[in-house]
Amino acid sequence: MITFDAVTKAFPGGTVAVDNLSIELPTGQITVFVGPSGCGKTTSLRMINRLIEPTSGTISIDGEDVTKQDAAVLRRKIGYVIQHAGLFPHRTVQDNIATVPLLNGVNKKQARENAVELLGRVGLDASMATRYPAQLSGGQQQRVGVARALAADPPVMLMDEPFSAVDPIVRDGLQKEFLRLQAEVGKTIAFVTHDIDEAIKLGDTVAVFREGGHLAQVGTPQELLDDPADDFVADFVGRDRGFRGLSFVTAEGLEVEPVQTYVDGVRGVRLLLDDAGRPRGWTVNGSDDVRAITGTFTKQDSLRLVTDLAISSPAGVAVRVDGDGVADGAATHASIADHLADARRESAG
Amino acid sequence: MIEYIQNNYSEILTDLGQHIWLALVPVVLGVIFALPVGYLAVRRGWLYQPIVNLGGVLYSIPSLALFLIMPAILGTGTLSPLNIVVSLAVYTFALLTRTVADALLSVQGQATQAAEAMGFRPFRQLLQVELPMALPVMLAGVRVATVANISLVSVGALIGVGGLGALFTRGLQLGFMEPIIVGIVLSVLLAAVCDIAIVLLQRRLTPWDRVATR
Amino acid sequence: MITPVPLFNYFGFLLDPANWGWSDGSIPQRLVEHLGYTVLAVLIAAAIALPIGLLIGHTNRGAFLAINIGNAGRALPTFGLLSLMVVLMGTGLVPALIALVVLAVPPILASTYAGIRAVDRSAVDAAVGMGMRPTEVLFRAEVPMALPLIMSGLRSSTLQVCATATVAAYVGLGGLGRFLIDGLARNQYDQVFAGAVLVAALAIALDLAGAGLERAVVSPGVRQRGSARRGRRRGARSTDTSTQEAPTASTAG
């Protein structure tokens, strides 16, 4: 666990970047610092590995005050990933990844073997090992940056806007793989971003910062969306937070109507099933034209998907399937709204 | 020192005048030759490396050696000012072809593609789009070449034509510091004045550059 | 005044076997002498300029100094400095060597400083953040990345010294410049020509050796740019993602 206790950072000239920050970053979880530029989120992050020293207050990792330790030794136990990866252009990919193990005195052969293995874990081919960073795309460089931070298997990782310099499609892939990787490694991660969508997607806990280094709200992504502490957070989280909040509610317990109702037809729209009972498509007003089904959901999917399916189907319902893909229910707008209201009541109570 | 200047000022002025044209005429010549060759290196990509390499070789020849190889090439006497002028022009050319090529390459991009798309013909595009955009980098090269030439001219004094270098040989012969210090100071001042003049010229010619960087 | 001579006469001195044995004033002896002055002056200058340039670049204190010494060095007339040293200290190796060193320092100092400053700040931030100590940051991150510029500073200072050592023959130094000065004094253009060709050849050889050394010590990942730049131009319309995903400005939160 990383603990900020009344931490303040004032720069020479009087700018207060972080003002009396107290927050706990739980072990094994991703805590996202999010906020507009100049809100002190990066400064807070950089105080954890002492790239910046606090003016007052203490930061401790598992109870140990970071300022009481040798800075270099401390940093070698903390993985560090930054916006443009910050790879060393003069070192091959494998030697970049091996940086901290080499600093720690691991022999070169061992360190390189580990590095090549890590390449695989971040989704890169082992053949990349002997390339130089200039030969990689931005997304690949960023993966190498993550592998480099993981190389010494540090319990803590600091990530400063690691995915913001790549294009949206690449970013989406990186985020998904990052979550998959974190599920395997379970690091204690502090993650800085200015992108609220990224914060909501990645954070177990999200800390919203506002200008002047104040903490505006700390909570799970859903808490932030459901119950913003004030106008600043509400505004920052954005207008369609209600819709985005659907991502955090699953279709477990969502009431559905029998499939047969729609096979028989509702307002001229009929659901077609194949012989095994799997949904094939829709016909409208008895036409022979079959509109392919746009998708189905299971109980584990989010309400966001269910809503999207319901909106885009000609019948206004989303078709639920069981594990074999056999249709076993249809969710209407009304049932989705009811389910959501129940979920909100539960989380509030 | 002041006495030395008072007693010899007409001689010093003559040396200074000779120094100026010995240094600056080659700059003009070098630019005239470097522009088309640099452009060629850009248009015909395979020529780039040979041209850059040739420039590197020429630029690495020590000045006194080049001054004294010239008579064999030009058929001039060893003491002819032409040796100095042509040698310094060769240095300027060697330095600037690469600068011109790199400057033109560095401006390839959206603006040149836009110009192409709007229907500029190549020559007009070169004159109206690429050259103006490349000007700051090219003039930076001209500054380096000018300052280098001014400091090299005095070596010519060893073969009788050296502008302010004459003050150095005189000082050596007489064992006096005064002419040497006067020569060094005037040479450095001349370099500084020319450098500033080119900077001012660049500001006049590329007002957009100032807006962008300030 | 020496009048032009027929072409075959230019090579008289160069082709005379008597000049190629090892004796005082022979071609090999002058060559070694010239090389010796050059290497000695560059080594002394590097010993002075490299540490200062690294320090200024690493701490970014005294940048003003590095830049101005670099500029002043280019404007200083080499022959003038040489003359001044001789009038001050008399002829001999030491005054000439001092002049050579003074001329060799600025290019090394300025390019070392510029090289360190040009290093990608995010890579340095990563180096510090991963737990490198200051000397490790300097020697494992900054210097290897700055090496192309540091090497080019060393190469241009070598050329500068090689050229000025030639001029120094005028004030009594040995080396290949002797053939130029003595040949002029004796009206023997074939000797002058031999000296000039040998000096030019030596300078070109030194520069090539510098290029070879540069290739040997500089990582391919940061190797210089001429070819890279052309590559980018050729690839300008390709779909290479590495250029499309190129980083823009960095911001801190």
Side-chain angles (χ1 to χ4, degrees):
Chain A
M1 183 166 68
I2 305 170
T3 314
F4 284 73
D5 185 17
V7 174
T8 294
K9 176 66 196 182
F11 285 107
T15 324
V16 177
V18 178
D19 190 12
N20 199 23
L21 173 68
S22 293
I23 184 176
E24 290 185 344
L25 285 64
T27 303
Q29 293 195 7
I30 302 172
T31 304
V32 179
F33 295 174
V34 67
S37 61
C39 69
K41 56 191 191 293
T42 293
T43 304
S44 300
L45 184 91
R46 290 165 67 88
M47 284 192 289
I48 298 174
N49 64 352
R50 293 184 60 194
L51 289 171
I52 297 175
E53 301 284 1
T55 312
S56 66
T58 55
I59 298 170
S60 49
I61 299 177
D62 296 330
E64 277 187 70
D65 185 344
V66 293
T67 56
K68 298 282 189 293
Q69 307 173 45
D70 179 276
V73 173
L74 170 79
R75 289 170 189 152
R76 291 175 199 182
K77 294 185 294 189
I78 300 177
Y80 185 51
V81 188
I82 55 179
Q83 189 174 16
H84 298 298
L87 299 182
F88 299 137
H90 62 290
R91 291 193 182 173
T92 57
V93 164
Q94 60 183 357
D95 288 349
N96 261 289
I97 297 175
T99 301
V100 178
L102 289 176
L103 285 176
N104 286 335
V106 174
N107 77 59
K108 201 155 191 167
K109 186 164 172 286
Q110 176 75 47
R112 282 185 173 168
E113 277 172 19
N114 275 344
V116 175
E117 190 191 326
L118 268 167
L119 268 182
R121 292 185 76 175
V122 296
L124 288 177
D125 196 80
S127 67
M128 299 259 176
T130 52
R131 292 204 195 170
Y132 286 95
Q135 297 167 289
L136 307 182
S137 72
Q140 289 168 335
Q141 289 187 16
Q142 215 47 261
R143 287 167 197 260
V144 175
V146 173
R148 184 171 69 171
L150 286 169
D153 199 21
V156 174
M157 299 246 288
L158 308 181
M159 307 182 78
D160 189 359
E161 307 235 7
F163 307 137
S164 26
V166 292
D167 71 56
I169 293 171
V170 175
R171 186 187 312 148
D172 196 58
L174 287 172
Q175 288 167 340
K176 281 185 181 137
E177 284 195 50
F178 169 62
L179 285 177
R180 172 188 59 74
L181 199 60
Q182 166 65 356
E184 284 173 31
V185 295
K187 303 289 184 192
T188 305
I189 295 175
F191 189 110
V192 162
T193 180
H194 63 266
D195 174 0
I196 185 68
D197 287 322
E198 184 168 68
I200 284 167
K201 202 160 167 186
L202 301 182
D204 297 306
T205 307
V206 176
V208 182
F209 284 65
R210 78 170 87 209
E211 282 94 342
H214 298 280
L215 202 52
Q217 187 174 3
V218 182
T220 63
Q222 193 179 358
E223 282 165 2
L224 244 53
L225 292 167
D226 291 351
D227 188 17
D230 55 23
D231 289 348
F232 172 79
V233 178
D235 197 42
F236 193 72
V237 168
R239 281 234 177 83
D240 55 348
R241 63 190 166 88
F243 185 70
R244 280 208 299 252
L246 295 175
S247 305
F248 302 102
V249 184
T250 67
E252 185 70 52
L254 172 68
E255 284 203 22
V256 290
E257 296 184 19
V259 178
Q260 197 55 44
T261 316
Y262 291 90
V263 172
D264 296 341
V266 173
R267 290 188 303 252
V269 181
R270 298 174 57 156
L271 176 65
L272 298 180
L273 302 176
D274 65 12
D275 296 342
R278 289 184 290 254
R280 271 181 56 215
W282 306 94
T283 60
V284 181
N285 296 332
S287 152
D288 289 340
D289 246 7
V290 179
R291 294 200 202 170
I293 194 111
T294 49
T296 57
F297 71 96
T298 67
K299 286 180 181 175
Q300 284 78 46
D301 281 318
S302 74
L303 272 197
R304 190 167 177 160
L305 175 68
V306 181
T307 310
D308 187 59
L309 292 173
I311 293 169
S312 58
S313 93
V317 294
V319 180
R320 193 178 76 185
V321 296
D322 62 15
D324 299 321
V326 175
D328 68 355
T332 63
H333 294 157
S335 66
I336 294 169
D338 285 348
H339 185 63
L340 193 58
D342 289 345
R344 293 258 152 85
R345 258 200 310 281
E346 244 167 64
S347 74
Chain B
M1 183 73 63
I2 290 171
E3 203 188 318
Y4 178 83
I5 298 172
Q6 279 170 345
N7 291 341
N8 297 279
Y9 83 92
S10 71
E11 231 175 297
I12 295 173
L13 276 185
T14 312
D15 291 340
L16 181 63
Q18 192 193 35
H19 202 105
I20 291 173
W21 73 260
L22 279 177
L24 298 189
V25 169
V27 171
V28 175
L29 289 174
V31 169
I32 290 172
F33 284 97
L35 277 174
V37 176
Y39 178 70
L40 200 68
V42 174
R43 295 301 295 196
R44 305 266 175 273
W46 60 272
L47 274 174
Y48 178 90
Q49 208 53 50
I51 287 176
V52 165
N53 290 345
L54 177 71
V57 167
L58 289 176
Y59 203 71
S60 62
I61 299 174
S63 51
L64 186 57
L66 194 57
F67 293 169
L68 287 168
I69 291 172
M70 276 303 153
I73 298 169
L74 302 173
T76 46
T78 44
L79 303 183
S80 161
L82 258 186
N83 298 330
I84 316 272
V85 171
V86 175
S87 297
L88 295 182
V90 165
Y91 287 135
T92 307
F93 168 82
L95 186 83
L96 284 184
T97 36
R98 180 177 189 160
T99 309
V100 168
D102 288 351
L104 288 175
L105 283 177
S106 73
V107 303
Q108 304 289 331
Q110 303 213 342
T112 56
Q113 281 178 28
E116 226 171 303
M118 284 185 286
F120 274 87
R121 289 185 202 284
F123 187 67
R124 186 162 182 178
Q125 180 175 329
L126 177 71
L127 282 187
Q128 296 190 344
V129 181
E130 291 171 11
L131 276 181
M133 284 171 70
L135 211 52
V137 178
M138 294 196 303
L139 283 177
V142 174
R143 283 171 66 187
V144 173
T146 306
V147 171
N149 278 1
I150 290 171
S151 90
L152 282 178
V153 165
S154 46
V155 172
L158 269 62
I159 48 172
V161 199
L164 294 165
L167 293 167
F168 305 149
T169 45
R170 211 169 302 148
L172 278 173
Q173 279 153 12
L174 304 172
F176 285 168
M177 284 217 312
E178 282 83 358
I180 296 176
I181 289 177
V182 169
I184 291 178
V185 168
L186 283 180
S187 180
V188 170
L189 274 180
L190 179 61
V193 167
C194 290
D195 196 45
I196 291 168
I198 300 172
V199 171
L200 292 178
L201 177 74
Q202 187 199 324
R203 289 195 179 180
R204 281 300 287 266
L205 292 177
T206 62
W208 63 88
D209 207 45
R210 255 163 83 211
V211 180
T213 50
R214 298 276 148 114
Chain C
M1 179 96 183
I2 302 170
T3 46
V5 285
L7 189 69
F8 59 87
N9 275 356
Y10 294 156
F11 294 95
F13 189 90
L14 261 183
L15 297 177
D16 184 352
N19 293 324
W20 284 93
W22 185 270
S23 64
D24 208 31
S26 73
I27 288 173
Q29 189 262 338
R30 291 296 184 207
L31 199 63
V32 169
E33 221 171 23
H34 203 106
L35 195 61
Y37 300 144
T38 307
V39 170
L40 187 61
V42 171
L43 283 182
I44 295 172
I48 297 167
L50 281 177
I52 300 176
L54 291 179
L55 193 74
I56 293 176
H58 183 70
T59 59
N60 203 20
R61 286 193 198 132
F64 174 80
L65 195 73
I67 294 165
N68 283 296
I69 288 180
N71 287 337
R74 271 202 311 241
L76 207 57
T78 57
F79 181 41
L81 182 69
L82 211 52
S83 310
L84 188 64
M85 293 315 299
V86 169
V87 170
L88 281 175
M89 300 177 64
T91 51
L93 180 61
V94 173
L97 203 57
I98 290 176
L100 295 183
V101 169
V102 167
L103 291 168
V105 162
I108 303 176
L109 180 63
S111 62
T112 302
Y113 159 78
I116 297 287
R117 286 322 295 166
V119 164
D120 178 8
R121 288 293 104 190
S122 72
V124 175
D125 182 45
V128 177
M130 283 188 296
M132 287 193 185
R133 298 177 194 283
T135 50
E136 288 169 332
V137 173
L138 184 62
F139 290 108
R140 294 192 187 200
E142 289 177 314
V143 168
M145 288 186 251
L147 217 45
L149 268 175
I150 295 175
M151 286 303 299
S152 88
L154 282 168
R155 285 171 65 185
S156 59
S157 123
T158 304
L159 289 178
Q160 171 80 285
V161 169
C162 181
T164 309
T166 317
V167 176
Y170 187 76
V171 292
L173 201 69
L176 293 168
R178 284 254 61 84
F179 296 131
L180 302 172
I181 302 300
D182 296 346
L184 280 172
R186 292 177 205 147
N187 259 3
Q188 295 170 345
Y189 184 71
D190 63 335
Q191 188 181 350
V192 172
F193 183 75
V197 168
L198 287 168
V199 167
L202 177 63
I204 291 166
L206 279 172
D207 199 42
L208 285 178
L213 184 66
E214 189 174 324
R215 275 195 89 79
V217 298
V218 172
S219 155
V222 290
R223 198 161 282 162
Q224 275 295 22
R225 305 256 171 234
S227 57
R229 194 178 285 144
R230 290 191 316 144
R232 196 180 308 148
R233 177 177 145 72
R234 286 210 194 103
R237 289 188 188 92
S238 80
T239 53
D240 179 13
T241 50
S242 65
T243 52
Q244 285 171 4
E245 286 178 26
T248 50
S250 70
T251 49

